[in-house]
Amino acid sequence: MSLTPASYRHRLPLSLSVAAVVTAVSMALALGLQTLDNLREDQGRNALRLGHAMSEILVQALLHDDVWLAYSLLRGPEKDAADATWILIDAGQRIFASNRPERFRLDQSLEAALPWLPVAAFSPDAPAPALVRSIAPQDDGTRRVLRLTLASEGGPVGELIALLSDRPFLARFREILVGGVLVTAAVLAVMLPAGWLWGRRMASPLMQLAACMARVGTEDARQLRCQIPESDSEIGQLGRQFSAMLAALAEKGALEQQMLQAERLAAVGRVAAGVAHEVNNPLGGMLMAIDTYRQGQVLDARTARLLDLIDRALQQIRGSVSALLVEARGDSRTLAPTDLEDVRTLVQPRLARSSVRLDWNMGLASALDLPAAPVRQLLLNLLLNAIDAAEPGGAVRVEAGIDGGQLAVRVENSGRPIPAEQLAHLFEPYPEQRPHAQGLGLWICYQIVSQLGGQIRVASSAERTGFQVELPLGTEEAP
């Protein structure tokens, strides 16, 4: 199992926090090590200067065999204040004096006292230079050795050795390190929450985009609403590309829906027309047989009533079948403004009975290259449906005009909205949402619009429902 968080909402702040902690600890450690190195260099330089300062007196102490003088000089003013172990060696490589006599005894050989220290080879021609050399840490804490050859009248008389250790300033080093850790902790106490909030803020647009992407495929792209980050960063560019993809998916979905609906309605129309033709032929024969029987026979009252009942039933069937046979271009007369005004006159009785207000706005001044009869039937069907849907006391608005080389007609009504699940089947014959009506009005409207090469759309909201019809005009308008 991976310990890395899967979400960038946690991964990014955690990465910033870890980076801040590692940086702070590294800086504190580097500062402490640099301080320790500086203290070591200062200790070596101070020991070298002190050794040169004591060399003349120590030479006299060796020449006059004055151990007390050498011990007093090596011990310094305060016995416990020395930060180095000083050892004075005579020409026979034996200890002459030391500021740590309990550790390095008088007349002890250098080899026995410091077995790890190589014996210096004195040269009568040139005294060995003073050096501070780092060695492997010893049990007594020694890390560096200062060796200074003491000479008199051109010849070596002894050697001054200083054992330098880190112990004298380890306390100071710890204080500096602890102080750095405390300061680092204080800075981290401020930086970590700020970095966490900053990281979450940086990751928030990415999380919003990821949440929106997760909804693609489970929701309709046309209804998908997301808060897309807007900026010039890479996330902003990704958001803009995602918005463009959503728009393309919504357009594709709308086109597919329109194509499916058009294919379904076209198939229904073909089936309905075929059934109507097949029913119409025997129906006409039956009506003709009834007329022939009436003309050739003297009918009693009971037979006459029976034939009248059969005739009315067959006429009703003929009316329903005729409604299925829609032919938009059967009328050669072009559409005139008076044709639309006739529709207004026809619906006045229905308006009066329903107490519905009609807002009529026609922007047509001359005849149009469109067949009059189907366009009138189209507008009449839409207007009657709008009046029924507006309910008593409602309002209906009708607008018509020329827009971009086509006739644009819009019919709106107030009232309850059409449920979304019924919009997809609104133009099918006998829709379920209006079982009490004939159910062919909107289907006939769709057939007329399709045969005229136009489009019909419907939009329904909580306040209004509107039908938009667009019919292309011919190359020339009728005179």
Side-chain angles (χ1 to χ4, degrees), residues 341 344 347-348 351 355-363 379 383 386-387 390 394-400 409-414 464:
E341 293 296 332
R344 181 182 183 182
V347 299
Q348 288 301 324
L351 291 170
S355 301
V356 174
R357 186 183 75 257
L358 177 61
D359 185 5
W360 188 268
N361 184 13
M362 290 292 170
L379 182 58
L383 193 51
I387 294 172
V396 174
R397 178 180 178 83
V398 180
E399 295 181 348
V409 180
R410 182 168 184 83
V411 180
E412 290 184 347
N413 64 269
S414 60
R464 304 186 71 84

PDB file of all heavy atoms in Angstrom, residues 341 344 347-348 351 355-363 379 383 386-387 390 394-400 409-414 464:
ATOM      1  N   GLU A 341     -53.954  37.052 -40.446  1.00  0.00           N
ATOM      2  CA  GLU A 341     -55.014  37.761 -39.743  1.00  0.00           C
ATOM      3  C   GLU A 341     -56.284  36.917 -39.658  1.00  0.00           C
ATOM      4  O   GLU A 341     -57.042  37.014 -38.684  1.00  0.00           O
ATOM      5  CB  GLU A 341     -55.300  39.089 -40.440  1.00  0.00           C
ATOM      6  CG  GLU A 341     -54.166  40.107 -40.351  1.00  0.00           C
ATOM      7  CD  GLU A 341     -53.906  40.549 -38.920  1.00  0.00           C
ATOM      8  OE1 GLU A 341     -54.853  40.533 -38.105  1.00  0.00           O
ATOM      9  OE2 GLU A 341     -52.745  40.886 -38.612  1.00  0.00           O
ATOM     10  N   ARG A 344     -56.117  34.834 -36.624  1.00  0.00           N
ATOM     11  CA  ARG A 344     -56.467  35.626 -35.432  1.00  0.00           C
ATOM     12  C   ARG A 344     -57.970  35.706 -35.253  1.00  0.00           C
ATOM     13  O   ARG A 344     -58.487  35.611 -34.134  1.00  0.00           O
ATOM     14  CB  ARG A 344     -55.842  37.010 -35.558  1.00  0.00           C
ATOM     15  CG  ARG A 344     -56.114  37.936 -34.374  1.00  0.00           C
ATOM     16  CD  ARG A 344     -55.482  39.286 -34.634  1.00  0.00           C
ATOM     17  NE  ARG A 344     -55.665  40.183 -33.489  1.00  0.00           N
ATOM     18  CZ  ARG A 344     -55.244  41.449 -33.473  1.00  0.00           C
ATOM     19  NH1 ARG A 344     -54.631  41.954 -34.557  1.00  0.00           N
ATOM     20  NH2 ARG A 344     -55.455  42.206 -32.413  1.00  0.00           N
ATOM     21  N   VAL A 347     -59.612  32.368 -33.888  1.00  0.00           N
ATOM     22  CA  VAL A 347     -59.421  31.976 -32.491  1.00  0.00           C
ATOM     23  C   VAL A 347     -60.113  32.916 -31.513  1.00  0.00           C
ATOM     24  O   VAL A 347     -60.057  32.684 -30.303  1.00  0.00           O
ATOM     25  CB  VAL A 347     -57.912  31.906 -32.155  1.00  0.00           C
ATOM     26  CG1 VAL A 347     -57.218  30.878 -33.020  1.00  0.00           C
ATOM     27  CG2 VAL A 347     -57.240  33.256 -32.281  1.00  0.00           C
ATOM     28  N   GLN A 348     -60.753  33.972 -32.018  1.00  0.00           N
ATOM     29  CA  GLN A 348     -61.395  34.923 -31.108  1.00  0.00           C
ATOM     30  C   GLN A 348     -62.457  34.264 -30.224  1.00  0.00           C
ATOM     31  O   GLN A 348     -62.517  34.531 -29.016  1.00  0.00           O
ATOM     32  CB  GLN A 348     -61.992  36.089 -31.900  1.00  0.00           C
ATOM     33  CG  GLN A 348     -60.964  37.054 -32.484  1.00  0.00           C
ATOM     34  CD  GLN A 348     -60.087  37.680 -31.423  1.00  0.00           C
ATOM     35  OE1 GLN A 348     -60.540  37.974 -30.317  1.00  0.00           O
ATOM     36  NE2 GLN A 348     -58.818  37.866 -31.759  1.00  0.00           N
ATOM     37  N   LEU A 351     -60.745  32.452 -27.459  1.00  0.00           N
ATOM     38  CA  LEU A 351     -60.167  33.389 -26.501  1.00  0.00           C
ATOM     39  C   LEU A 351     -61.225  33.914 -25.542  1.00  0.00           C
ATOM     40  O   LEU A 351     -60.991  34.045 -24.337  1.00  0.00           O
ATOM     41  CB  LEU A 351     -59.485  34.553 -27.225  1.00  0.00           C
ATOM     42  CG  LEU A 351     -58.207  34.233 -28.007  1.00  0.00           C
ATOM     43  CD1 LEU A 351     -57.781  35.416 -28.859  1.00  0.00           C
ATOM     44  CD2 LEU A 351     -57.075  33.867 -27.039  1.00  0.00           C
ATOM     45  N   SER A 355     -61.086  33.303 -21.507  1.00  0.00           N
ATOM     46  CA  SER A 355     -60.611  34.502 -20.785  1.00  0.00           C
ATOM     47  C   SER A 355     -59.101  34.637 -20.868  1.00  0.00           C
ATOM     48  O   SER A 355     -58.417  34.977 -19.892  1.00  0.00           O
ATOM     49  CB  SER A 355     -61.056  34.461 -19.320  1.00  0.00           C
ATOM     50  OG  SER A 355     -62.466  34.387 -19.215  1.00  0.00           O
ATOM     51  N   VAL A 356     -58.556  34.365 -22.054  1.00  0.00           N
ATOM     52  CA  VAL A 356     -57.115  34.459 -22.286  1.00  0.00           C
ATOM     53  C   VAL A 356     -56.833  35.718 -23.100  1.00  0.00           C
ATOM     54  O   VAL A 356     -57.521  35.999 -24.087  1.00  0.00           O
ATOM     55  CB  VAL A 356     -56.584  33.202 -23.012  1.00  0.00           C
ATOM     56  CG1 VAL A 356     -55.116  33.374 -23.394  1.00  0.00           C
ATOM     57  CG2 VAL A 356     -56.760  31.974 -22.134  1.00  0.00           C
ATOM     58  N   ARG A 357     -55.804  36.459 -22.711  1.00  0.00           N
ATOM     59  CA  ARG A 357     -55.416  37.680 -23.412  1.00  0.00           C
ATOM     60  C   ARG A 357     -54.429  37.340 -24.529  1.00  0.00           C
ATOM     61  O   ARG A 357     -53.478  36.582 -24.322  1.00  0.00           O
ATOM     62  CB  ARG A 357     -54.763  38.663 -22.436  1.00  0.00           C
ATOM     63  CG  ARG A 357     -54.461  40.032 -23.065  1.00  0.00           C
ATOM     64  CD  ARG A 357     -53.749  40.959 -22.090  1.00  0.00           C
ATOM     65  NE  ARG A 357     -52.351  40.597 -21.898  1.00  0.00           N
ATOM     66  CZ  ARG A 357     -51.865  39.976 -20.856  1.00  0.00           C
ATOM     67  NH1 ARG A 357     -52.683  39.580 -19.878  1.00  0.00           N
ATOM     68  NH2 ARG A 357     -50.572  39.703 -20.763  1.00  0.00           N
ATOM     69  N   LEU A 358     -54.655  37.908 -25.730  1.00  0.00           N
ATOM     70  CA  LEU A 358     -53.806  37.651 -26.891  1.00  0.00           C
ATOM     71  C   LEU A 358     -53.001  38.897 -27.224  1.00  0.00           C
ATOM     72  O   LEU A 358     -53.554  39.979 -27.399  1.00  0.00           O
ATOM     73  CB  LEU A 358     -54.645  37.245 -28.106  1.00  0.00           C
ATOM     74  CG  LEU A 358     -53.872  37.018 -29.414  1.00  0.00           C
ATOM     75  CD1 LEU A 358     -52.863  35.885 -29.256  1.00  0.00           C
ATOM     76  CD2 LEU A 358     -54.831  36.746 -30.565  1.00  0.00           C
ATOM     77  N   ASP A 359     -51.704  38.742 -27.294  1.00  0.00           N
ATOM     78  CA  ASP A 359     -50.783  39.815 -27.707  1.00  0.00           C
ATOM     79  C   ASP A 359     -50.296  39.466 -29.110  1.00  0.00           C
ATOM     80  O   ASP A 359     -49.484  38.557 -29.286  1.00  0.00           O
ATOM     81  CB  ASP A 359     -49.621  39.908 -26.712  1.00  0.00           C
ATOM     82  CG  ASP A 359     -48.699  41.078 -27.029  1.00  0.00           C
ATOM     83  OD1 ASP A 359     -49.008  41.857 -27.946  1.00  0.00           O
ATOM     84  OD2 ASP A 359     -47.648  41.205 -26.358  1.00  0.00           O
ATOM     85  N   TRP A 360     -50.794  40.168 -30.104  1.00  0.00           N
ATOM     86  CA  TRP A 360     -50.572  39.845 -31.522  1.00  0.00           C
ATOM     87  C   TRP A 360     -49.600  40.855 -32.112  1.00  0.00           C
ATOM     88  O   TRP A 360     -49.858  42.062 -32.110  1.00  0.00           O
ATOM     89  CB  TRP A 360     -51.918  39.880 -32.263  1.00  0.00           C
ATOM     90  CG  TRP A 360     -51.875  39.399 -33.673  1.00  0.00           C
ATOM     91  CD1 TRP A 360     -51.675  40.148 -34.783  1.00  0.00           C
ATOM     92  CD2 TRP A 360     -52.055  38.061 -34.125  1.00  0.00           C
ATOM     93  NE1 TRP A 360     -51.721  39.373 -35.910  1.00  0.00           N
ATOM     94  CE2 TRP A 360     -51.952  38.068 -35.532  1.00  0.00           C
ATOM     95  CE3 TRP A 360     -52.302  36.848 -33.481  1.00  0.00           C
ATOM     96  CZ2 TRP A 360     -52.098  36.928 -36.305  1.00  0.00           C
ATOM     97  CZ3 TRP A 360     -52.430  35.721 -34.253  1.00  0.00           C
ATOM     98  CH2 TRP A 360     -52.326  35.756 -35.651  1.00  0.00           C
ATOM     99  N   ASN A 361     -48.486  40.393 -32.646  1.00  0.00           N
ATOM    100  CA  ASN A 361     -47.469  41.291 -33.206  1.00  0.00           C
ATOM    101  C   ASN A 361     -46.946  40.681 -34.501  1.00  0.00           C
ATOM    102  O   ASN A 361     -46.079  39.801 -34.483  1.00  0.00           O
ATOM    103  CB  ASN A 361     -46.331  41.496 -32.204  1.00  0.00           C
ATOM    104  CG  ASN A 361     -45.300  42.501 -32.700  1.00  0.00           C
ATOM    105  OD1 ASN A 361     -45.533  43.218 -33.667  1.00  0.00           O
ATOM    106  ND2 ASN A 361     -44.163  42.553 -32.029  1.00  0.00           N
ATOM    107  N   MET A 362     -47.516  41.128 -35.620  1.00  0.00           N
ATOM    108  CA  MET A 362     -47.123  40.634 -36.935  1.00  0.00           C
ATOM    109  C   MET A 362     -46.332  41.701 -37.678  1.00  0.00           C
ATOM    110  O   MET A 362     -46.797  42.830 -37.829  1.00  0.00           O
ATOM    111  CB  MET A 362     -48.362  40.251 -37.751  1.00  0.00           C
ATOM    112  CG  MET A 362     -49.060  39.009 -37.211  1.00  0.00           C
ATOM    113  SD  MET A 362     -48.023  37.555 -37.458  1.00  0.00           S
ATOM    114  CE  MET A 362     -48.906  36.333 -36.485  1.00  0.00           C
ATOM    115  N   GLY A 363     -45.160  41.317 -38.134  1.00  0.00           N
ATOM    116  CA  GLY A 363     -44.302  42.261 -38.854  1.00  0.00           C
ATOM    117  C   GLY A 363     -44.203  41.952 -40.328  1.00  0.00           C
ATOM    118  O   GLY A 363     -43.133  42.115 -40.930  1.00  0.00           O
ATOM    119  N   LEU A 379     -49.956  27.643 -37.832  1.00  0.00           N
ATOM    120  CA  LEU A 379     -50.161  28.698 -36.842  1.00  0.00           C
ATOM    121  C   LEU A 379     -51.428  28.463 -36.027  1.00  0.00           C
ATOM    122  O   LEU A 379     -51.445  28.695 -34.809  1.00  0.00           O
ATOM    123  CB  LEU A 379     -50.208  30.061 -37.548  1.00  0.00           C
ATOM    124  CG  LEU A 379     -50.382  31.276 -36.638  1.00  0.00           C
ATOM    125  CD1 LEU A 379     -49.266  31.354 -35.606  1.00  0.00           C
ATOM    126  CD2 LEU A 379     -50.436  32.563 -37.463  1.00  0.00           C
ATOM    127  N   LEU A 383     -51.514  28.040 -32.005  1.00  0.00           N
ATOM    128  CA  LEU A 383     -52.263  29.035 -31.242  1.00  0.00           C
ATOM    129  C   LEU A 383     -53.339  28.389 -30.377  1.00  0.00           C
ATOM    130  O   LEU A 383     -53.529  28.760 -29.213  1.00  0.00           O
ATOM    131  CB  LEU A 383     -52.880  30.064 -32.205  1.00  0.00           C
ATOM    132  CG  LEU A 383     -53.443  31.342 -31.586  1.00  0.00           C
ATOM    133  CD1 LEU A 383     -52.429  32.000 -30.675  1.00  0.00           C
ATOM    134  CD2 LEU A 383     -53.863  32.314 -32.690  1.00  0.00           C
ATOM    135  N   ALA A 386     -51.693  26.792 -27.443  1.00  0.00           N
ATOM    136  CA  ALA A 386     -51.238  27.794 -26.483  1.00  0.00           C
ATOM    137  C   ALA A 386     -52.397  28.320 -25.648  1.00  0.00           C
ATOM    138  O   ALA A 386     -52.254  28.546 -24.443  1.00  0.00           O
ATOM    139  CB  ALA A 386     -50.539  28.937 -27.221  1.00  0.00           C
ATOM    140  N   ILE A 387     -53.544  28.535 -26.262  1.00  0.00           N
ATOM    141  CA  ILE A 387     -54.718  29.020 -25.527  1.00  0.00           C
ATOM    142  C   ILE A 387     -55.161  27.991 -24.498  1.00  0.00           C
ATOM    143  O   ILE A 387     -55.484  28.321 -23.351  1.00  0.00           O
ATOM    144  CB  ILE A 387     -55.862  29.356 -26.509  1.00  0.00           C
ATOM    145  CG1 ILE A 387     -55.456  30.540 -27.398  1.00  0.00           C
ATOM    146  CG2 ILE A 387     -57.141  29.671 -25.757  1.00  0.00           C
ATOM    147  CD1 ILE A 387     -56.436  30.823 -28.511  1.00  0.00           C
ATOM    148  N   ALA A 390     -52.639  28.009 -21.610  1.00  0.00           N
ATOM    149  CA  ALA A 390     -52.546  29.228 -20.819  1.00  0.00           C
ATOM    150  C   ALA A 390     -53.497  29.213 -19.637  1.00  0.00           C
ATOM    151  O   ALA A 390     -53.272  29.930 -18.651  1.00  0.00           O
ATOM    152  CB  ALA A 390     -52.813  30.445 -21.697  1.00  0.00           C
ATOM    153  N   GLY A 394     -54.920  33.610 -18.385  1.00  0.00           N
ATOM    154  CA  GLY A 394     -53.535  33.650 -18.818  1.00  0.00           C
ATOM    155  C   GLY A 394     -53.326  34.562 -20.016  1.00  0.00           C
ATOM    156  O   GLY A 394     -54.184  35.364 -20.382  1.00  0.00           O
ATOM    157  N   ALA A 395     -52.156  34.423 -20.641  1.00  0.00           N
ATOM    158  CA  ALA A 395     -51.800  35.286 -21.770  1.00  0.00           C
ATOM    159  C   ALA A 395     -51.081  34.471 -22.816  1.00  0.00           C
ATOM    160  O   ALA A 395     -50.345  33.521 -22.508  1.00  0.00           O
ATOM    161  CB  ALA A 395     -50.924  36.454 -21.315  1.00  0.00           C
ATOM    162  N   VAL A 396     -51.313  34.861 -24.104  1.00  0.00           N
ATOM    163  CA  VAL A 396     -50.651  34.239 -25.252  1.00  0.00           C
ATOM    164  C   VAL A 396     -50.052  35.355 -26.085  1.00  0.00           C
ATOM    165  O   VAL A 396     -50.702  36.389 -26.316  1.00  0.00           O
ATOM    166  CB  VAL A 396     -51.634  33.402 -26.087  1.00  0.00           C
ATOM    167  CG1 VAL A 396     -50.951  32.886 -27.356  1.00  0.00           C
ATOM    168  CG2 VAL A 396     -52.163  32.224 -25.276  1.00  0.00           C
ATOM    169  N   ARG A 397     -48.818  35.134 -26.550  1.00  0.00           N
ATOM    170  CA  ARG A 397     -48.133  36.132 -27.363  1.00  0.00           C
ATOM    171  C   ARG A 397     -47.711  35.483 -28.670  1.00  0.00           C
ATOM    172  O   ARG A 397     -47.121  34.388 -28.664  1.00  0.00           O
ATOM    173  CB  ARG A 397     -46.908  36.680 -26.632  1.00  0.00           C
ATOM    174  CG  ARG A 397     -46.109  37.706 -27.427  1.00  0.00           C
ATOM    175  CD  ARG A 397     -44.915  38.204 -26.625  1.00  0.00           C
ATOM    176  NE  ARG A 397     -44.114  39.141 -27.388  1.00  0.00           N
ATOM    177  CZ  ARG A 397     -44.376  40.435 -27.506  1.00  0.00           C
ATOM    178  NH1 ARG A 397     -45.454  40.948 -26.902  1.00  0.00           N
ATOM    179  NH2 ARG A 397     -43.590  41.228 -28.213  1.00  0.00           N
ATOM    180  N   VAL A 398     -48.011  36.170 -29.799  1.00  0.00           N
ATOM    181  CA  VAL A 398     -47.667  35.679 -31.133  1.00  0.00           C
ATOM    182  C   VAL A 398     -46.844  36.753 -31.829  1.00  0.00           C
ATOM    183  O   VAL A 398     -47.265  37.917 -31.890  1.00  0.00           O
ATOM    184  CB  VAL A 398     -48.921  35.327 -31.953  1.00  0.00           C
ATOM    185  CG1 VAL A 398     -48.511  34.832 -33.340  1.00  0.00           C
ATOM    186  CG2 VAL A 398     -49.761  34.289 -31.240  1.00  0.00           C
ATOM    187  N   GLU A 399     -45.682  36.357 -32.345  1.00  0.00           N
ATOM    188  CA  GLU A 399     -44.810  37.261 -33.100  1.00  0.00           C
ATOM    189  C   GLU A 399     -44.415  36.584 -34.403  1.00  0.00           C
ATOM    190  O   GLU A 399     -44.179  35.366 -34.425  1.00  0.00           O
ATOM    191  CB  GLU A 399     -43.557  37.611 -32.304  1.00  0.00           C
ATOM    192  CG  GLU A 399     -43.817  38.409 -31.047  1.00  0.00           C
ATOM    193  CD  GLU A 399     -42.526  38.735 -30.314  1.00  0.00           C
ATOM    194  OE1 GLU A 399     -41.477  38.129 -30.680  1.00  0.00           O
ATOM    195  OE2 GLU A 399     -42.559  39.551 -29.388  1.00  0.00           O
ATOM    196  N   ALA A 400     -44.339  37.373 -35.466  1.00  0.00           N
ATOM    197  CA  ALA A 400     -43.909  36.850 -36.766  1.00  0.00           C
ATOM    198  C   ALA A 400     -43.146  37.941 -37.496  1.00  0.00           C
ATOM    199  O   ALA A 400     -43.471  39.136 -37.392  1.00  0.00           O
ATOM    200  CB  ALA A 400     -45.104  36.382 -37.594  1.00  0.00           C
ATOM    201  N   VAL A 409     -41.655  32.588 -36.666  1.00  0.00           N
ATOM    202  CA  VAL A 409     -42.912  32.689 -35.926  1.00  0.00           C
ATOM    203  C   VAL A 409     -42.666  32.154 -34.524  1.00  0.00           C
ATOM    204  O   VAL A 409     -42.104  31.060 -34.358  1.00  0.00           O
ATOM    205  CB  VAL A 409     -44.041  31.887 -36.613  1.00  0.00           C
ATOM    206  CG1 VAL A 409     -45.334  32.012 -35.800  1.00  0.00           C
ATOM    207  CG2 VAL A 409     -44.255  32.379 -38.036  1.00  0.00           C
ATOM    208  N   ARG A 410     -43.100  32.948 -33.534  1.00  0.00           N
ATOM    209  CA  ARG A 410     -42.951  32.516 -32.142  1.00  0.00           C
ATOM    210  C   ARG A 410     -44.299  32.625 -31.446  1.00  0.00           C
ATOM    211  O   ARG A 410     -44.953  33.670 -31.494  1.00  0.00           O
ATOM    212  CB  ARG A 410     -41.910  33.362 -31.399  1.00  0.00           C
ATOM    213  CG  ARG A 410     -41.702  32.909 -29.964  1.00  0.00           C
ATOM    214  CD  ARG A 410     -40.482  33.533 -29.326  1.00  0.00           C
ATOM    215  NE  ARG A 410     -40.265  33.016 -27.983  1.00  0.00           N
ATOM    216  CZ  ARG A 410     -39.650  31.881 -27.713  1.00  0.00           C
ATOM    217  NH1 ARG A 410     -39.187  31.127 -28.704  1.00  0.00           N
ATOM    218  NH2 ARG A 410     -39.494  31.488 -26.460  1.00  0.00           N
ATOM    219  N   VAL A 411     -44.701  31.533 -30.773  1.00  0.00           N
ATOM    220  CA  VAL A 411     -45.962  31.472 -30.030  1.00  0.00           C
ATOM    221  C   VAL A 411     -45.621  31.113 -28.589  1.00  0.00           C
ATOM    222  O   VAL A 411     -45.057  30.048 -28.332  1.00  0.00           O
ATOM    223  CB  VAL A 411     -46.931  30.441 -30.633  1.00  0.00           C
ATOM    224  CG1 VAL A 411     -48.227  30.407 -29.820  1.00  0.00           C
ATOM    225  CG2 VAL A 411     -47.220  30.765 -32.090  1.00  0.00           C
ATOM    226  N   GLU A 412     -45.947  32.018 -27.654  1.00  0.00           N
ATOM    227  CA  GLU A 412     -45.653  31.815 -26.241  1.00  0.00           C
ATOM    228  C   GLU A 412     -46.950  31.853 -25.441  1.00  0.00           C
ATOM    229  O   GLU A 412     -47.896  32.564 -25.794  1.00  0.00           O
ATOM    230  CB  GLU A 412     -44.712  32.890 -25.702  1.00  0.00           C
ATOM    231  CG  GLU A 412     -43.300  32.803 -26.231  1.00  0.00           C
ATOM    232  CD  GLU A 412     -42.407  33.843 -25.587  1.00  0.00           C
ATOM    233  OE1 GLU A 412     -42.948  34.761 -24.934  1.00  0.00           O
ATOM    234  OE2 GLU A 412     -41.176  33.747 -25.746  1.00  0.00           O
ATOM    235  N   ASN A 413     -46.964  31.129 -24.339  1.00  0.00           N
ATOM    236  CA  ASN A 413     -48.112  31.159 -23.443  1.00  0.00           C
ATOM    237  C   ASN A 413     -47.647  31.036 -22.007  1.00  0.00           C
ATOM    238  O   ASN A 413     -46.596  30.443 -21.722  1.00  0.00           O
ATOM    239  CB  ASN A 413     -49.100  30.030 -23.773  1.00  0.00           C
ATOM    240  CG  ASN A 413     -48.498  28.649 -23.549  1.00  0.00           C
ATOM    241  OD1 ASN A 413     -47.930  28.073 -24.472  1.00  0.00           O
ATOM    242  ND2 ASN A 413     -48.621  28.110 -22.354  1.00  0.00           N
ATOM    243  N   SER A 414     -48.423  31.608 -21.109  1.00  0.00           N
ATOM    244  CA  SER A 414     -48.174  31.428 -19.687  1.00  0.00           C
ATOM    245  C   SER A 414     -48.796  30.116 -19.238  1.00  0.00           C
ATOM    246  O   SER A 414     -49.504  29.463 -20.001  1.00  0.00           O
ATOM    247  CB  SER A 414     -48.774  32.609 -18.907  1.00  0.00           C
ATOM    248  OG  SER A 414     -50.178  32.673 -19.138  1.00  0.00           O
ATOM    249  N   ARG A 464     -43.034  30.588 -18.674  1.00  0.00           N
ATOM    250  CA  ARG A 464     -43.602  30.586 -20.022  1.00  0.00           C
ATOM    251  C   ARG A 464     -43.154  29.355 -20.795  1.00  0.00           C
ATOM    252  O   ARG A 464     -42.104  28.763 -20.509  1.00  0.00           O
ATOM    253  CB  ARG A 464     -43.194  31.850 -20.802  1.00  0.00           C
ATOM    254  CG  ARG A 464     -43.568  33.149 -20.108  1.00  0.00           C
ATOM    255  CD  ARG A 464     -43.273  34.358 -20.977  1.00  0.00           C
ATOM    256  NE  ARG A 464     -44.201  34.452 -22.090  1.00  0.00           N
ATOM    257  CZ  ARG A 464     -45.413  35.009 -22.004  1.00  0.00           C
ATOM    258  NH1 ARG A 464     -45.844  35.497 -20.857  1.00  0.00           N
ATOM    259  NH2 ARG A 464     -46.200  35.078 -23.063  1.00  0.00           N
TER     260      ARG A 464
END
